[in-house]
Amino acid sequence: MVGEGRHCRTTLDEVVVEALAHALDLIPEALDRPDHVKRFMASSTAALKVELAARFDALTRSGVTVDRNTNGHRQGGACGRRSLDGRQVAAASAIAGTDRLVSVTGPAGAGKTTMLRVANSALARRGHRMFVVAPTKKAASVAGREIGTHAASLHALLADHGWRSGRDEAGAEVWTRLQPGEVDPRSPCSTALATSRSATENRIVVDEAGMVDLHTANALAVVAAETVAGIAMVGDHLQAMPVGHSGAMASMTHRSTAVVDLTAVHRFRDQKCAA
């Protein structure tokens, strides 16, 4: 038993050494780092973060927001018409404007869906359209129905542009891309489209954007670079985390030329409960 225990410790030590060989020390000069502070990151993840940041940098382009006086500040609903607050109006104006990258953050109940209805109407008045995507098909369907615009899952949009996700022999996530018209060997009935609906839209809105992982965001950035559409990420990075590596929404927010933080909660009648 003693020998087996010593062997297990040796094997564990070897695993740790091997893992550290493929990791980066994020704070190498820290002498008294608290145990709860993250220190190491896989080299592949760090490289993906750098690649995504570069793609967002290439997309960054300042634009103009829609005039708030003509944006339509009121939105009808089951409880009658009510005015949007100043931050909601600013967010709707930015999404309906021409900034290539727009980031709107806010907690649940901050009125993001109501704001998107107004942004969609403002885009329509300018002869443009909004295309909403979400991490899941169900979330996309709900968002599309409530906002009144075209919607699909984010992965469906990427699949239309040829992107496919899978796993390598070690279990790591790997993304590949089909060329237009190329048949997917895993699904003979599936091909990459030469064009996609998003190419004709003015704005791709990513709802629940805090749940988008780095690999998916990287593929979306490539699609955006190939089309005339701008991206608006709408969500809360402090809520549900993505299944994969996090940080995509934060990366785009740092590079967006239009950033709005929704702070007021409208979902609750009891403001003490809301706070």
Side-chain angles (χ1 to χ4, degrees), residues 15-256:
V15 171
V16 172
V17 170
E18 179 68 19
L20 292 179
H22 296 85
L24 296 178
D25 191 340
L26 302 179
I27 44 178
E29 298 179 358
L31 299 177
D32 53 350
R33 176 185 62 87
D35 291 337
H36 68 279
V37 175
K38 180 178 180 179
R39 177 170 181 173
F40 295 101
M41 177 182 292
S43 300
S44 57
T45 303
L48 185 58
K49 284 179 174 285
V50 172
E51 180 181 0
L52 179 61
R55 293 193 188 282
F56 282 147
D57 282 334
L59 289 174
T60 301
R61 185 189 66 211
S62 298
V64 294
T65 60
V66 171
D67 186 351
R68 300 186 184 189
N69 295 322
T70 60
N71 194 22
H73 296 185
R74 302 180 71 86
Q75 176 64 40
C79 297
R81 300 179 66 85
R82 63 179 180 80
S83 297
L84 273 65
D85 64 34
R87 290 178 182 264
Q88 286 175 296
V89 173
S93 299
I95 292 175
T98 58
D99 286 90
R100 191 73 181 275
L101 300 180
V102 176
S103 176
V104 179
T105 62
K112 295 188 288 292
T113 300
T114 302
M115 174 275 298
L116 285 173
R117 292 195 196 104
V118 174
N120 185 42
S121 298
L123 282 167
R125 284 194 293 272
R126 294 175 50 230
H128 297 294
R129 294 188 297 176
M130 177 189 294
F131 185 70
V132 177
V133 294
T136 66
K137 182 178 180 180
K138 181 177 181 180
S141 298
V142 172
R145 182 174 64 253
E146 293 185 351
I147 297 169
T149 187
H150 302 293
S153 72
L154 178 52
H155 282 78
L157 170 65
L158 298 178
D160 280 351
H161 286 272
W163 289 97
R164 301 291 186 272
S165 63
R167 299 283 178 178
D168 62 15
E169 295 181 354
E173 187 172 11
V174 176
W175 282 68
T176 57
R177 194 179 190 189
L178 303 175
Q179 296 303 310
E182 183 180 354
V183 177
D184 185 349
R186 295 176 299 178
S187 179
C189 296
S190 177
T191 60
L193 304 180
T195 60
S196 178
R197 178 183 295 170
S198 67
T200 63
E201 311 292 338
N202 179 71
R203 180 72 70 186
I204 299 176
V205 172
V206 185
D207 197 20
E208 303 294 348
M211 297 176 62
V212 177
D213 64 273
L214 294 177
H215 284 94
T216 306
N218 192 52
L220 176 62
V222 173
V223 171
E226 297 171 348
T227 67
V228 297
I231 301 176
M233 282 195 169
V234 180
D236 183 1
H237 65 284
L238 298 178
Q239 285 184 286
M241 300 293 286
V243 175
H245 298 295
S246 62
M249 185 175 186
S251 179
M252 203 193 86
T253 299
H254 290 323
R255 291 158 179 83
S256 297

